Amino acid sequence: LKGLHAGTAAPGSQLRGVSLMSDFHAEEAEAPPDQDAVFLHADDVVGEIDVGEAPPDESDDEDVAEADDNGAAEQERPVEALEDHARLVLSGHSDSVYAVAVARSLHGGCLFATGGGDDTASLWRWQGAALEQQVLGPHAETVASVRFSNDASMLATGDLSGVLKLWSTGENEKFGDFGAEVRSLDGPADVEWIDWHPRGRIVLAGASDGTIWMWLADNGNCMQVFAGHEGGVSGGGFSADGNTIVSGGFDGTLRLWAPRTGRCKHTFTGHGFHEGPVTCLRIEKGDDAQRVLTGSMDGTLRLSHIGSKRVLQTFVHSVPEVRAAPNQPAEIERRVEDEMDVDVEDADGDDEGEGEATLQEESTLSVESCEFLAGSGLDWVVSGGVDGVARVWDVATGAVRAQLDHGDVVTGLSRGSTTQPILISSCADGVVRVWETRNGGSCLRALTGHTEMIVDMVVNLSTAGNSSDET
């Protein structure tokens, strides 16, 4: 607001307000000019007066006071500390831990391995009251995968630069002392996962460049490179008998490979299989095991057979949803369980083809973990999803036997017993849960201690050696 000196205006003249809108132009005014109007020029302005802001409303003071009271209450409210149920805590990484592994030591006790975002891995030996740690590395990038050989003589660690290293666990003096580096293996892009042959020291690794590499660990020779996935290989490993390599990829396929020749024996793809990237994979273990579970971003879990090369069952964990796009009629909102290609018409009756202008697909909640669950003659499988639910399925009927609510993403699933249908799950809320899956399912125990999301979990029932029960 500009002030006009009283001595510069003619008697009877009025002081008029001047708009502060930047888009106001005098020449755009349509009303005729006032004959008595006094026009102000820049030379007429003798000073500027800051009139300040409007006084605050009394209600504003009340809001501020209430906010202060609430803030003080928040500060005074005690933070409830979570009980730590862990029998043993392994500390040593300076960044997040992304991979864990466990094995039974031939000398008694347990071997543990961890890989982290600090570009190192750690090897741990726990025997009685003694805990020994050996830091392995450094790697060039985050260590995203760790795995013990089946005879526990070696540990393989893989990082996001594509380097895989082999370390001695001290179980076989041929390979050196506890934590000694045996050799480094180069080849793939960043390592997504590692597996070992069930009866030999042959190591397998899947990479983000769509390849799978196989080495003979004793001498480091590359035995085979398997190529065919169009995108990263998200999961894989050897079949229970060691005669087939199984891999799932971001291209939505499940592939079966011949280890000796490198030939792809079969590809599960197309109609009747996943319509999105494979996010998790589990190979059935056992003498005659021939089945594979795959979960996908398309919200389904599929059970396939290696020998017959058939999809045995499809379990729909999460159903895609199609709803009205903005400014579209609400009556077209609906759920779609089968095909997504639907012809629709817009409000003017014009055909919009596949409905791209009228319908929009809501993201399906991905299946992030899966597991076989057997015991007492039961043949069940489990899927865990982004929806915070683990569903237990009957393989014979395809029906849901139990729905286990977690409240956050189910990041891992594992059997909790070799004889009973006990399930162990890990969750993004930092809690490990033990479930009884019969009679609709119930949580037997919630194990707390982590303060952040659990990104990897492994359960090895053969390492229960320090206790007589399978826990």
Side-chain angles (χ1 to χ4, degrees):
L1 179 65
K2 294 182 181 294
L4 176 66
H5 192 277
T8 62
S13 65
Q14 297 177 343
L15 181 64
R16 296 182 180 270
V18 179
S19 172
L20 301 182
M21 295 177 62
S22 61
D23 59 351
F24 176 83
H25 300 283
E27 62 269 21
E28 295 178 0
E30 297 180 357
D34 187 351
Q35 299 299 324
D36 297 328
V38 178
F39 294 94
L40 304 181
H41 301 282
D43 295 339
D44 297 325
V45 179
V46 296
E48 296 183 4
I49 302 173
D50 185 1
V51 298
E53 298 179 355
D57 188 79
E58 292 182 1
S59 61
D60 294 339
D61 294 336
E62 296 174 357
D63 293 340
V64 172
E66 183 179 353
D68 291 341
D69 292 341
N70 291 338
E74 288 292 336
Q75 293 178 357
E76 294 173 1
R77 185 179 297 122
V79 178
E80 183 179 354
L82 291 176
E83 181 180 356
D84 194 341
H85 294 107
R87 296 175 58 192
L88 179 68
V89 177
L90 307 177
S91 301
H93 287 280
S94 60
D95 204 338
S96 301
V97 175
Y98 292 107
V100 294
V102 60
R104 177 79 172 181
S105 172
L106 300 178
H107 306 296
C110 297
L111 296 170
F112 304 107
T114 56
D118 56 0
D119 303 344
T120 68
S122 281
L123 176 62
W124 313 75
R125 181 160 53 195
W126 183 35
Q127 188 170 8
L131 178 64
E132 181 181 1
Q133 177 192 11
Q134 184 67 46
V135 177
L136 312 176
H139 275 265
E141 292 284 351
T142 293
V143 179
S145 185
V146 295
R147 193 72 178 265
F148 288 103
S149 60
N150 286 282
D151 63 359
S153 63
M154 284 190 189
L155 169 69
T157 61
D159 68 25
L160 296 184
S161 72
V163 174
L164 190 144
K165 292 178 179 288
L166 302 179
W167 312 86
S168 172
T169 62
E171 300 289 300
N172 188 333
E173 60 183 14
K174 172 184 176 180
F175 302 115
D177 297 331
F178 178 75
E181 183 174 349
V182 179
R183 59 183 46 89
S184 180
L185 306 173
D186 295 320
D190 51 329
V191 176
E192 296 283 344
W193 52 269
I194 298 171
D195 194 29
W196 290 83
H197 194 278
R199 294 187 303 276
R201 285 189 291 269
I202 298 175
V203 63
L204 194 69
S208 63
D209 61 2
T211 62
I212 306 164
W213 294 64
M214 185 172 69
W215 299 270
L216 182 61
D218 286 2
N219 56 24
N221 290 342
C222 179
M223 303 175 66
Q224 202 66 255
V225 177
F226 308 88
H229 280 287
E230 298 177 359
V233 186
S234 53
F238 287 100
S239 61
D241 59 12
N243 295 330
T244 302
I245 291 172
V246 182
S247 64
F250 294 129
D251 57 3
T253 68
L254 174 67
R255 296 174 185 264
L256 309 179
W257 308 86
R260 293 184 180 276
T261 65
R263 181 178 64 89
C264 181
K265 300 191 294 184
H266 185 71
T267 301
F268 294 88
T269 187
H271 183 71
F273 204 64
H274 292 301
E275 297 180 2
V278 173
T279 52
C280 57
L281 181 149
R282 186 75 79 181
I283 302 171
E284 186 179 24
K285 302 301 181 184
D287 295 337
D288 300 320
Q290 287 279 298
R291 299 183 300 179
V292 182
L293 277 173
T294 52
S296 171
M297 287 185 68
D298 66 4
T300 66
L301 177 73
R302 298 182 190 261
L303 179 64
S304 305
H305 196 275
I306 296 174
S308 67
K309 303 178 177 62
R310 294 175 51 243
V311 177
L312 303 178
Q313 190 66 269
T314 297
F315 311 94
V316 181
H317 182 99
S318 173
V319 179
E321 182 174 293
V322 171
R323 61 183 178 183
N327 302 320
Q328 294 295 333
E331 60 266 20
I332 66 173
E333 184 173 336
R334 60 192 178 86
R335 297 184 65 84
V336 176
E337 297 185 12
D338 300 317
E339 298 296 325
M340 299 299 296
D341 294 332
V342 182
D343 289 328
V344 297
E345 294 183 351
D346 64 13
D348 297 328
D350 298 329
D351 191 0
E352 294 292 338
E354 298 297 325
E356 296 177 357
T358 306
L359 298 179
Q360 65 180 18
E361 181 179 349
E362 185 176 281
S363 296
T364 302
L365 298 178
S366 171
V367 175
E368 292 295 308
S369 51
C370 56
E371 178 62 296
F372 289 93
L373 190 62
S376 302
L378 302 177
D379 189 13
W380 294 350
V381 295
V382 191
S383 59
V386 173
D387 59 356
V389 175
R391 290 182 171 85
V392 181
W393 306 88
D394 189 315
V395 170
T397 65
V400 176
R401 300 304 302 257
Q403 179 170 301
L404 314 176
D405 295 322
H406 290 68
D408 210 332
V409 180
V410 182
T411 59
L413 295 169
S414 182
R415 287 193 307 164
S417 171
T418 57
T419 59
Q420 300 296 322
I422 301 298
L423 180 71
I424 300 177
S425 64
S426 61
C427 184
D429 64 2
V431 180
V432 173
R433 294 174 174 85
V434 182
W435 303 87
E436 164 61 68
T437 59
R438 289 172 293 197
N439 302 319
S442 61
C443 184
L444 302 177
R445 193 172 184 192
L447 304 174
T448 58
H450 286 287
T451 58
E452 299 289 344
M453 178 175 69
I454 300 174
V455 295
D456 193 21
M457 178 188 72
V458 61
V459 177
N460 190 332
L461 298 176
S462 67
T463 62
N466 290 339
S467 61
S468 59
D469 60 345
E470 294 178 334
T471 56

